[in-house]
Amino acid sequence: MIYLDNAATTKMFKECVSEYEKYACADFFNPSTNYIYGVDISKALNSAREKLLAKLGAKKGDIIFTGGATESNNLALRGSLRKGWEHVVSLGEHPSVFNLAKELENDNIIKFVPLQKNGQIDYEALEKALNSKTRLISVIHVSNETGAVNDIKRISKIRDKICPKALLHVDGVQAFCKIEFGLDDLGADLYTISAHKFHGPKGVGALYVKNKQSLKSIVFGGGQEYGLRSGTENVGGIMAMCCAFEKIDVKKNFEHVKKLNALFKSKFSGVQGVSYIETESPYIISLSFSGVNGETLMRALEKDVVVGMGSACSSKKAGNRILESLGFDKDKIKSSLRISFNAYLSEEEVAMAAEIIAEKYKEVWEKVK
Ligand code: PMP
């Protein structure tokens, strides 16, 4: 079976499993204890924080370890709320931002900004939505549905012009360890990552925070993680996540995935009824297969090739919201599938997967036409 749903999750690196085991079985101590063994674990966590800051390209700021990106996004949005201020959120966000924003919409503290046809945020509409009461702007870095890459630097410049005090939160789940960037250069104040999207374990992630004073805790307890995320840290998970990002050569992987992407698309050049949108991240392709239901094709393929139906953790409605912004009609949305690569796939595997998909599409289409 060839797995092409790496935007949903990735296979853990073997080294990370060993690292997890080390901190689960040998060095299992609680990092908040004061004896030497606990202090050593706390030092290991702090060293992981430093390494993550370096990998993100951030000279200032801190890392809050969390239970994954959903939690990081909730901490960023809820933790920064202040009475009388507004949040501005793009319509292209993952449900962990979008659905929370919908909750907050009832209190009139949210403004939504539409997307352009290329899947990026509408920068002019964003500019119009901002004002001196804007507390936070939340924008996804790479869309988990389409692979569109938002120009974060441009957004931070718009923020500096209109509301310099506003925080810029970026959901970087599909960007970190995949595309090259430096956080200091981007100008983000808050940045979300999730370990299982780059071959680390599930249920662990982080929120980068430029200035800890800008957030308030949303979980109360023992005061771990600078008082911003109480609860004993998932030490094994964090150390395994650190092992994963240290192993990844972002530039080399990007070049390889670019080749995989081009090769995959080339296999569909003569296949009628298949179309895809060109976006900037080579890791994700949103394809539509005219005349067939995406879910039917996905199931017909699943023994040989695993593909995604769009965001695995989103409702179908959320997928619609993003594909609709690209101008897709209902039928096109229904016939869409998401292909997402990892950098350890070979060209042979990707070529074979594309051929199988093209073949199966013809078979399913013959049956339903
Ligand atoms: N944001 C984006 C862009 C994602 O793709 C995902 C995972 N589908 C999440 C947030 C949620 O991540 P997690 O599974 O770590 O909660």
Side-chain angles (χ1 to χ4, degrees):
M1 179 270 285
I2 303 169
Y3 178 73
L4 296 184
D5 196 21
N6 292 275
T9 197
T10 55
K11 191 197 250 187
M12 222 167 130
F13 289 142
K14 286 248 160 62
E15 296 90 319
C16 299
V17 180
S18 311
E19 187 75 352
Y20 187 94
E21 192 182 5
K22 172 169 159 13
Y23 285 94
C25 301
D27 298 331
F28 59 86
F29 310 98
N30 188 324
S32 297
T33 53
N34 292 330
Y35 38 81
I36 182 75
Y37 311 106
V39 171
D40 281 348
I41 302 298
S42 172
K43 282 185 187 159
L45 287 185
N46 286 339
S47 149
R49 275 183 236 283
E50 291 305 317
K51 287 176 181 163
L52 181 50
L53 283 170
K55 189 84 178 181
L56 284 164
K59 289 212 176 66
K60 296 178 279 194
D62 287 292
I63 296 295
I64 315 292
F65 291 122
T66 65
T70 298
E71 191 191 313
S72 298
N73 286 343
N74 273 259
L75 175 58
L77 266 79
R78 273 200 191 280
S80 61
L81 276 179
R82 300 288 180 273
K83 237 191 168 148
W85 292 70
E86 291 172 355
H87 281 6
V88 174
V89 173
S90 108
L91 278 177
E93 298 305 295
H94 181 269
S96 52
V97 168
F98 183 77
N99 289 342
L100 171 57
K102 277 285 188 201
E103 275 292 305
L104 302 173
E105 200 182 16
N106 302 332
D107 304 328
N108 291 324
I109 47 173
I110 292 285
K111 270 191 203 154
F112 286 104
V113 180
L115 305 181
Q116 305 173 64
K117 285 238 179 319
N118 65 5
Q120 293 180 31
I121 191 170
D122 182 333
Y123 300 98
E124 279 162 27
L126 172 70
E127 196 159 342
K128 284 189 194 130
L130 302 180
N131 60 44
S132 58
K133 272 169 52 183
T134 308
R135 169 70 180 152
L136 174 124
I137 305 162
S138 191
V139 179
I140 200 163
H141 198 171
V142 173
S143 165
N144 52 303
E145 299 277 350
T146 64
V149 181
N150 280 311
D151 186 344
I152 304 301
K153 217 168 154 174
R154 180 169 171 189
I155 294 169
S156 99
K157 282 188 184 147
I158 297 173
R159 179 266 316 265
D160 293 346
K161 192 172 81 178
I162 301 172
C163 45
K165 285 195 183 143
L167 302 168
L168 175 54
H169 168 245
V170 179
D171 177 345
V173 168
Q174 303 291 348
F176 179 64
C177 281
K178 294 185 164 113
I179 65 168
E180 274 191 293
F181 65 89
L183 261 193
D184 285 345
D185 185 44
L186 293 185
D189 301 281
L190 300 155
Y191 197 91
T192 291
I193 67 159
S194 176
H196 72 108
K197 309 290 180 164
F198 53 90
H199 307 278
K202 294 172 181 55
V204 57
L207 180 67
Y208 160 82
V209 187
K210 194 186 269 174
N211 174 7
K212 294 192 294 287
Q213 313 306 325
S214 61
L215 286 187
K216 285 185 182 159
S217 182
I218 57 168
V219 176
F220 295 87
Q224 288 91 340
E225 299 299 300
Y226 309 107
L228 287 171
R229 200 277 186 178
S230 284
T232 304
E233 287 90 347
N234 175 0
V235 178
I238 293 164
M239 299 312 288
M241 168 166 76
C242 180
C243 166
F245 67 69
E246 283 207 285
K247 195 175 137 83
I248 290 172
D249 181 334
V250 180
K251 194 172 181 182
K252 188 171 147 223
N253 286 2
F254 185 85
E255 291 308 320
H256 179 62
V257 174
K258 237 166 79 177
K259 269 197 216 145
L260 298 181
N261 181 299
L263 175 67
F264 184 88
K265 285 174 179 165
S266 73
K267 297 284 175 190
F268 289 92
S269 61
V271 183
Q272 271 209 343
V274 180
S275 58
Y276 49 81
I277 38 163
E278 293 289 355
T279 52
E280 302 77 16
S281 169
Y283 280 83
I284 298 175
I285 309 175
S286 178
L287 285 156
S288 51
F289 297 86
S290 174
V292 308
N293 182 299
E295 188 167 356
T296 310
L297 181 57
M298 180 199 77
R299 295 214 188 282
L301 279 166
E302 67 192 358
K303 265 200 197 135
D304 304 310
V305 184
V306 172
V307 299
M309 285 268 306
S311 174
C313 36
S314 73
S315 65
K316 285 180 187 147
K317 223 173 157 194
N320 290 353
R321 155 173 58 88
I322 291 159
L323 296 181
E324 264 168 19
S325 67
L326 304 166
F328 284 25
D329 60 26
K330 265 196 195 130
D331 285 345
K332 196 160 180 184
I333 291 171
K334 259 195 177 161
S335 72
S336 291
L337 288 175
R338 181 184 68 181
I339 306 293
S340 47
F341 303 112
N342 71 65
Y344 308 96
L345 285 157
S346 67
E347 292 183 36
E348 290 72 28
E349 283 173 306
V350 167
M352 192 194 285
E355 281 159 20
I356 295 171
I357 296 170
E359 192 74 9
K360 251 317 167 235
Y361 167 52
K362 281 185 208 152
E363 246 178 73
V364 175
W365 190 77
E366 284 295 331
K367 274 190 204 151
V368 296
K369 78 172 178 185

